[in-house]
Amino acid sequence: WDLPREEVQCCDSCDGGAGRIELCAGLVEGGTTPSMGLLQVVKQCVRVPVFVMIRPRGGDFLYSDREVEVMKADIRLAKLHGADGLVFGALTEDGRIDTELCTALLAVCRPLPVTFHRAFDMVHDPLVALETLISLGFERVLTSGCDSSALEGLSLIKRLAEQVSACCALLFPPGGGITERNLQRILEGSTASEFHCSARSARDSGMKFRNPNVAMGASFSAPEYSIKVADVAKVRTLNAIAKNIL
């Protein structure tokens, strides 16, 4: 299963039993491309596969020509610095899979495995989108079932998994709002063999002097004096729950 991260504390994730890391920055924006410095250090610290998010900005998944250039360059750099897989998604303005762009990006990614991320949850017709992703050759589709969380989207996740079970090996790791309280229900209801979660908690900053009048980002961003980190206890609990079911 995946653990999206933006801090170099991935050893906690692995110590808890994580089988794969989805490495990204900007979790407040849903995940963006991490720095190559972060990727290099993470690869030195962990032994599990590291899949790198390729997303040049937050917001929608309709990309300009310049943004596509950035994505291709980031894919090449991620491969150069040891990425074990890539994660991206791209849509057209009418909410369909951008087949032309995805085909071009997949060509740059190969031979590494590729996951289509939660851009899938923004498509106009998920069943049609699924058939497109199968034909393009993605290995995984990360989804909350086109709803606010994997629990709310559980029925669609199960339907999608049933649609592909007879024709290909495409995997559907549910992701979005997964916790120790709902994981069992999600795994049993979706028949998924993997799941994706952040398993994070807040850690207080080590700063002793604090200026309460200044913030480094928009008002909705995380506070400067609280750091989100992978919680090894949460990872272990989730892993134990999964082992009892899968």
Side-chain angles (χ1 to χ4, degrees):
W1 29 290
D2 298 315
L3 291 173
R5 298 304 318 284
E6 60 179 349
E7 310 235 2
V8 187
Q9 296 184 342
C10 301
C11 290
D12 286 346
S13 302
C14 300
D15 289 343
R20 182 173 57 252
I21 292 172
E22 180 183 295
L23 190 67
C24 58
L27 292 185
V28 172
E29 295 184 289
T32 55
T33 306
S35 74
M36 293 303 103
L38 176 58
L39 174 58
Q40 282 186 300
V41 173
V42 168
K43 286 291 294 182
Q44 293 169 7
C45 295
V46 305
R47 294 175 297 280
V48 299
V50 178
F51 280 43
V52 176
M53 171 78 79
I54 302 298
R55 189 181 177 214
R57 55 163 173 77
D60 63 38
F61 304 100
L62 181 65
Y63 296 113
S64 68
D65 291 343
R66 290 297 186 192
E67 287 170 335
V68 171
E69 290 181 24
V70 172
M71 295 171 79
K72 290 180 177 179
D74 282 335
I75 291 170
R76 295 186 184 101
L77 287 170
K79 291 172 68 176
L80 181 65
H81 291 291
D84 299 291
L86 289 308
V87 183
F88 70 80
L91 305 178
T92 62
E93 62 182 11
D94 58 353
R96 303 178 189 278
I97 304 296
D98 189 332
T99 55
E100 182 178 352
L101 176 52
C102 286
T103 299
L105 294 178
L106 282 166
V108 183
C109 291
R110 295 308 185 201
L112 298 184
V114 185
T115 298
F116 194 93
H117 60 43
R118 287 188 62 199
F120 182 83
D121 292 324
M122 302 300 186
V123 298
H124 176 70
D125 187 330
L127 299 180
V128 172
L130 173 60
E131 294 300 327
T132 301
L133 295 178
I134 291 173
S135 67
L136 289 172
F138 284 88
E139 279 80 6
R140 288 178 177 84
V141 178
L142 176 62
T143 180
S144 64
C146 300
D147 214 320
S148 57
S149 72
L151 188 59
E152 277 72 28
L154 194 54
S155 60
L156 178 59
I157 295 173
K158 183 177 181 180
R159 184 179 177 188
L160 293 168
E162 290 171 346
Q163 182 173 334
V164 303
S165 61
C167 65
C168 70
L170 184 71
L171 296 174
F172 275 91
I178 291 180
T179 69
E180 306 94 311
R181 295 183 297 277
N182 61 27
L183 176 60
Q184 180 173 346
R185 182 177 171 188
I186 290 170
L187 289 179
E188 291 177 344
S190 66
T191 67
S193 59
E194 302 179 348
F195 66 96
H196 173 108
C197 66
S198 61
R200 53 183 165 164
S201 61
R203 185 186 70 192
D204 193 43
S205 165
M207 288 292 297
K208 294 181 178 179
F209 173 76
R210 304 185 179 193
N211 185 348
N213 301 315
V214 178
M216 294 295 107
S219 59
F220 62 82
S221 64
E224 271 67 49
Y225 301 110
S226 178
I227 304 170
K228 297 293 185 181
V229 298
D231 188 322
V232 64
K234 287 187 177 183
V235 177
R236 285 174 177 160
T237 300
L238 290 162
N239 194 38
I241 293 170
K243 283 184 176 179
N244 285 332
I245 299 170
L246 301 178

